[in-house]
Amino acid sequence: MSSWRAAGDFPPTYPHPMQTLTLMLMDGSVPRRARGDMDACLAAALEGAEGRLRPEPDAGTLYPFGLVMDADGVLRKAGQYDADYAYDETATAGALHHLADGYRAREAELRCAVITYYVRMKEPSPGDTAPVNVQLRRSTDWRRDPAPAPPGSVDAIAMEVEHQAGCALAVFMPFAWQGPGQDFVVGDLMAVPAKRRIWPDA
């Protein structure tokens, strides 16, 4: 069973996600000079995602979106806004490729980038640090079917964050609505090293 906590009154629940993740990533996969940039990108991505998911399951739709940090440290949002997420079953996967391609074309101008989207995965047990059986979900799946995830599985926000220093992580935050009041709750952050897609030769 996941370790759940009530989401904070104001997002993000994890204002400094890299502080949490650094404790589990003791292998040195994230250089010190990259942590601050990745922390800022992940915190902003979590804030955006939580804002779309509150306060009820039908409050909004979590479309794939991205954030980039330019050479001056300024964060800018990115997305594929002309996609038909409601009816095109390939729109979510297509948006992820579109964002990655756009970042790669601007790699010389950027320091850090993150892509955020919705997944379903095996429910982690307390202490688990790696997600299992992760499946990409359409942005509108949870809105069309607001029922809880099937037993043994959990919905999650997935974030692929990459830095020009040559490190990339896949970060996951489980979420759910629980109790008669459908309170929004989140689980512990999880992270694993990810394939570099924007700076593959860094």
Side-chain angles (χ1 to χ4, degrees), residues 78-141:
Q80 186 174 14
Y81 303 106
D82 57 350
D84 189 349
Y85 293 103
Y87 297 102
D88 184 354
E89 294 187 2
T90 66
T92 297
L96 300 183
H97 289 292
H98 172 83
L99 287 166
D101 289 346
Y103 293 171
R104 199 161 35 248
R106 300 175 50 207
E107 64 175 76
E109 309 166 21
L110 306 177
R111 280 178 17 198
C112 191
V114 62
I115 299 173
T116 305
Y117 52 98
Y118 166 44
V119 299
R120 182 165 284 171
M121 64 187 189
K122 180 179 180 295
E123 185 170 10
S125 299
D128 286 351
T129 58
V132 178
N133 296 337
V134 177
Q135 298 176 342
L136 179 66
R137 299 273 285 167
R138 289 198 314 175
S139 300
T140 51
D141 282 346

Side-chain angles (χ1 to χ4, degrees), residues 6-43:
D9 292 335
F10 299 98
T13 301
Y14 294 101
H16 296 289
M18 286 303 295
Q19 290 181 6
T20 301
L21 297 174
T22 298
L23 296 176
M24 71 177 67
L25 297 168
M26 301 300 289
D27 58 357
S29 59
V30 180
R32 183 178 298 276
R33 69 187 182 94
R35 289 178 196 165
D37 293 346
M38 295 175 82
D39 190 60
C41 284
L42 286 171

Side-chain angles (χ1 to χ4, degrees), residues 54-197:
R54 297 163 181 264
E56 294 100 17
D58 60 352
T61 301
L62 182 64
Y63 299 128
F65 69 91
L67 290 164
V68 293
M69 178 180 285
D70 65 21
D72 295 324
V74 177
L75 286 174
R76 302 184 193 284
K77 189 173 179 181
Q80 186 174 14
Y81 303 106
D82 57 350
D84 189 349
Y85 293 103
Y87 297 102
D88 184 354
E89 294 187 2
T90 66
T92 297
L96 300 183
H97 289 292
H98 172 83
L99 287 166
D101 289 346
Y103 293 171
R104 199 161 35 248
R106 300 175 50 207
E107 64 175 76
E109 309 166 21
L110 306 177
R111 280 178 17 198
C112 191
V114 62
I115 299 173
T116 305
Y117 52 98
Y118 166 44
V119 299
R120 182 165 284 171
M121 64 187 189
K122 180 179 180 295
E123 185 170 10
S125 299
D128 286 351
T129 58
V132 178
N133 296 337
V134 177
Q135 298 176 342
L136 179 66
R137 299 273 285 167
R138 289 198 314 175
S139 300
T140 51
D141 282 346
W142 63 272
R143 191 170 187 179
R144 290 170 184 263
D145 180 16
S153 64
V154 66
D155 293 320
I157 302 299
M159 294 156 287
E160 296 179 26
V161 61
E162 187 172 349
H163 196 275
Q164 68 175 173
C167 53
L169 296 175
V171 180
F172 301 84
M173 184 186 74
F175 68 88
W177 297 270
Q178 294 181 347
Q182 288 291 279
D183 296 322
F184 182 60
V185 296
V186 299
D188 296 330
L189 292 182
M190 309 170 71
V192 291
K195 180 180 179 180
R196 297 198 301 266
R197 298 201 287 172

